[in-house]
Amino acid sequence: MLSTSRRVLPLGSPSVVAVAATAALVAAAALAWAGGARAAVTVLGGGLARECSNAALGGLSDIRSEEACTQALSTEFLDLRDRAGTYVNRGVIKLRRREFASAEWDFNRAIETKPDLGEAYVNRGAAWVGARRYSDGLADINRALELGVSEPEKAYYNRALAHEGLDDLRAAYFDYRKAVELKPDWDPPQKELARFTVERR
C-alpha cells in the first residue's frame, strides 16, 4: 500500500517539467522554476530563432524573449524541425509564466509542424498538468514516451504528477522511481519520493 503526505497538487506543488523539442541540434538544459525544472533546445535557424533558443535555454520568461520567438517564426526561413523547436521554445517561455493555454497553443503548432516530435507532446502534457487537466496531460506524455524523447526522466516526472493529480498514487510512485533511475542526480523526483510511505502486505 502506498500513501503520501500530500494527495492533491496545490498551487505551491511541484512544478510541471517541460522538455523542449529537439531541433537540428539538441542541447537540453534543466532550468529551475518553482521546485521543478524546464528544458529548452538549441535551434540552428536564423538569428532570432537562435535568440529564442538561447532565451529558453537560459531560463528566461520575459516578453522580449517571447517576441524574438514570434519574429523568428514570422520572418525567418526555418526547416520543419527548427520551426517546431521554435514553437516549443516559445511555449516553454510562456509555461514559465504559467500561461498554460497560450503555451498549449504553441505546442499544438509544434505538433502540427512535426507530428512525430515527442518533446512537443511532453510539453503540451506539462501545460495540461499545470492547468490540472491531468487526463489530457497523461495521454500526451504517454504519446511522447511512445515516440521517444531526449530526456525521458522528465516525461516520467510529468507523468507522475499527472497520476498523482488523478489520485493514482501507485502509478505516481513508480514513475517518480523511474525518473530517479534514469537520472539519479536530479533532485525533483527524489523530493517527491520522500513524501511516499511504502507498506508491504
Side-chain angles (χ1 to χ4, degrees):
M1 172 180 218
L2 285 172
S3 64
T4 179
S5 59
R6 185 180 71 219
R7 293 185 55 85
V8 196
L9 296 173
L11 286 178
S13 70
S15 297
V16 175
V17 176
V19 181
T22 53
L25 196 67
V26 177
L31 306 168
W33 177 58
R38 291 286 178 263
V41 170
T42 300
V43 171
L44 295 179
L48 290 169
R50 184 175 299 273
E51 183 180 334
C52 170
S53 173
N54 289 340
L57 283 165
L60 300 179
S61 61
D62 59 286
I63 297 299
R64 184 184 169 285
S65 297
E66 179 185 337
E67 288 172 357
C69 302
T70 301
Q71 286 297 313
L73 290 164
S74 64
T75 64
E76 294 182 346
F77 179 75
L78 302 170
D79 65 24
L80 291 178
R81 241 174 142 62
D82 282 353
R83 179 165 294 283
T86 301
Y87 276 120
V88 170
N89 285 335
R90 185 171 70 178
V92 168
I93 289 168
K94 293 174 181 179
L95 203 54
R96 286 194 184 104
R97 296 192 309 250
R98 303 182 79 104
E99 295 174 6
F100 301 121
S102 183
E104 176 191 337
W105 190 92
D106 281 326
F107 303 136
N108 286 340
R109 299 301 74 74
I111 290 166
E112 289 171 4
T113 303
K114 192 90 173 96
D116 61 345
L117 191 60
E119 284 83 357
Y121 289 93
V122 170
N123 280 307
R124 189 171 69 178
W128 284 347
V129 170
R132 298 177 185 227
R133 291 173 55 186
Y134 303 115
S135 293
D136 292 330
L138 188 61
D140 266 359
I141 295 164
N142 286 337
R143 179 69 177 135
L145 287 168
E146 289 170 11
L147 290 170
V149 292
S150 62
E151 295 179 295
E153 69 277 2
K154 293 179 181 176
Y156 282 103
Y157 180 83
N158 282 341
R159 194 168 78 171
L161 293 173
H163 282 305
E164 198 164 353
L166 294 168
D167 289 325
D168 187 347
L169 298 180
R170 181 178 175 84
Y173 173 79
F174 285 111
D175 277 348
Y176 287 133
R177 278 190 46 186
K178 183 68 173 178
V180 168
E181 175 188 318
L182 292 169
K183 190 161 186 176
D185 60 338
W186 189 40
D187 289 336
Q190 292 178 14
K191 289 178 182 175
E192 295 308 310
L193 280 173
R195 296 183 297 108
F196 285 81
T197 302
V198 179
E199 298 175 4
R200 305 224 184 258
R201 290 186 183 199

